[in-house]
């Protein structure tokens, strides 16, 4: 069976610089495991993005979560988790990549 590699990038801290709680991470872990059976968390890595509204560049530590989904029919569930994460982690947008194709989802 071929698996489809998918990634979601989540900052280590919120916009005020406060680290997310263990409970926040646990909920994300549970959601990722529900769609893929497990996950791999890499990092922290250094991430950077530019706010399209004011052109300010932000650099921050991020985690890269990788899951392997079994079918394209599960890709929608992964995207739903990314949308939830954008809201839950109070982000303007979340970067994802499915099968090597990047996308930025607005919150």
């Amino acid at each position: 069976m071929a698996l489809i590699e998918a990634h979601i990038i989540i900052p280590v801290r919120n916009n005020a610089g406060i680290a997310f709680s263990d409970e926040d991470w646990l909920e994300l872990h549970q959601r990722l495991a529900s769609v893929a059976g497990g996950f791999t968390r890499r990092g922290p890595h250094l991430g950077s993005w530019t706010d399209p509204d004011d052109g300010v560049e932000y650099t921050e530590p991020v985690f890269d979560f990788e899951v392997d989904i079994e079918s394209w029919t599960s890709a929608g569930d992964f995207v739903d988790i990314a949308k939830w994460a954008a809201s839950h982690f109070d982000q303007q947008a979340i970067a994802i990549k499915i099968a090597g194709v990047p996308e930025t989802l607005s919150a």
Side-chain angles (χ1 to χ4, degrees):
M1 165 192 338
L3 296 173
I4 302 160
E5 186 177 308
H7 293 258
I8 181 171
I9 306 298
I10 306 285
V12 172
R13 296 183 214 45
N14 67 20
N15 295 331
I18 299 168
F20 294 113
S21 70
D22 290 343
E23 291 79 16
D24 289 323
W25 293 119
L26 180 59
E27 186 166 358
L28 176 63
H29 297 169
Q30 291 170 338
R31 287 172 183 258
L32 290 172
S34 74
V35 75
F39 65 90
T40 300
R41 183 178 87 177
R42 292 188 178 88
H45 301 291
L46 191 60
S48 180
W49 64 281
T50 301
D51 188 325
D53 294 330
D54 60 16
V56 174
E57 183 177 352
Y58 296 91
T59 302
E60 59 192 348
V62 298
F63 289 123
D64 176 359
F65 290 88
E66 177 185 333
V67 297
D68 294 316
I69 52 180
E70 292 185 4
S71 165
W72 284 107
T73 59
S74 298
D77 295 334
F78 177 76
V79 170
D80 288 344
I81 291 169
K83 289 178 180 178
W84 167 85
S87 174
H88 182 80
F89 291 98
D90 194 26
Q91 299 298 299
Q92 290 181 358
I94 289 284
I96 65 170
K97 187 184 292 186
I98 302 174
V101 179
E103 175 77 24
T104 302
L105 301 176
S106 296

